[in-house]
Amino acid sequence: GAVVSQHPSRVICKSGTSVKIECRSLDFQATTMFWYRQFPKQSLMLMATSNEGSKATYEQGVEKDKFLINHASLTLSTLTVTSAHPEDSSFYICSARDSDRGGNQPQHFGDGTRLSIL
Amino acid sequence: QKEVEQNSGPLSVPEGAIASLNCTYSDRGSQSFFWYRQYSGKSPELIMSIYSNGDKEDGRFTAQLNKASQYVSLLIRDSQPSDSATYLCAVKTTSSASKIIFGSGTRLSIRP
């Protein structure tokens, strides 16, 4: 089945640090990947749609300069949380769809990255 | 009106019984429907996809789709404590481009 690998699984760092999270589709190509954030006991919130070879599409209220997205290949998207602060602490999850199998495919999720900013 | 709506629960079901989870959606032209399970502290995992009206069975899980009434449901037979999780309904709507719209999830608790 479709596998999405996300790394790292856990980050603890000081306020002001920038943190990069990688999302890879291991056995399929993904022209589009999605980045979500989830606070404890709350719903998944879509932050942005990452598009291979072009700019990401950000949801309303998400700062594009704060959350930098790069989708340089058909199997890799990265999310960089720049100058992270304690309020950025959350569970960040990426997902991807198989681009070669049509538009009705489900999204497959990575295992998520738990980010804790001290 | 939300695009995808679910009752947040918690839904408490005794072990061995059938758990029934429901979801409604607003876009009548939607074609693809998915159920995900999310354990606490983990990311969502795909359980079922359904594209046509009627029932689709996979083991203890049955997805039901009724496009005329714009609802999709998930039945879990012989519920086990390990089924306790949040279940997310997701819909590929005609207006959502490449993304899937997720409901806020129903928390299911299976009591021994």
Side-chain angles (χ1 to χ4, degrees), chain A:
Chain A
V3 178
V4 175
S5 173
Q6 187 173 342
H7 178 80
S9 58
R10 178 80 194 239
V11 179
I12 302 173
C13 57
K14 293 180 179 179
S15 184
T17 306
S18 291
V19 178
K20 180 187 278 190
I21 303 169
E22 291 188 350
C23 181
R24 294 180 185 271
S25 55
L26 294 187
D27 51 358
F28 63 96
Q29 293 186 328
T31 53
T32 306
M33 293 185 178
F34 307 91
W35 289 96
Y36 294 84
R37 181 168 55 182
Q38 189 173 38
F39 293 105
K41 299 190 186 302
Q42 294 191 20
S43 305
L44 278 177
M45 286 186 54
L46 179 65
M47 300 175 65
T49 301
S50 170
N51 304 298
E52 188 266 336
S54 65
K55 291 183 180 180
T57 305
Y58 289 82
E59 296 298 305
Q60 193 172 8
V62 178
E63 300 174 58
K64 60 182 67 177
D65 295 331
K66 172 78 172 177
F67 299 100
L68 299 179
I69 290 172
N70 183 279
H71 193 153
S73 79
L74 287 171
T75 58
L76 173 63
S77 174
T78 61
L79 168 69
T80 301
V81 184
T82 61
S83 186
H85 291 286
E87 58 267 28
D88 298 321
S89 298
S90 189
F91 190 41
Y92 292 85
I93 317 172
C94 73
S95 75
R97 276 178 44 245
D98 188 336
S99 308
D100 295 331
R101 298 182 63 190
N104 292 325
Q105 294 301 304
Q107 288 176 206
H108 298 279
F109 287 86
D111 288 339
T113 298
R114 193 161 302 283
L115 177 61
S116 300
I117 307 298
L118 306 176

Side-chain angles (χ1 to χ4, degrees), chain B residues 4-7 11 13 17-25 33-39 45-50 54-66 70-79 82-91 105-108 110:
Chain B
V4 180
E5 293 210 56
Q6 296 180 255
N7 188 316
L11 174 66
V13 173
I18 296 175
S20 177
L21 303 157
N22 299 311
C23 171
T24 58
Y25 59 95
F33 308 86
F34 311 97
W35 282 100
Y36 289 81
R37 176 177 61 200
Q38 186 177 23
Y39 290 115
E45 57 179 318
L46 179 69
I47 300 176
M48 298 277 287
S49 304
I50 186 167
D55 295 1
K56 180 182 178 182
E57 189 174 316
D58 183 0
R60 294 187 297 113
F61 298 99
T62 299
Q64 299 176 317
L65 175 60
N66 184 323
Q70 294 174 236
Y71 83 76
V72 56
S73 61
L74 179 70
L75 302 178
I76 306 175
R77 287 183 300 282
D78 188 24
S79 297
S82 58
D83 295 326
S84 297
T86 296
Y87 289 80
L88 303 170
C89 171
V91 179
T106 298
R107 191 153 56 91
L108 174 67
I110 307 300

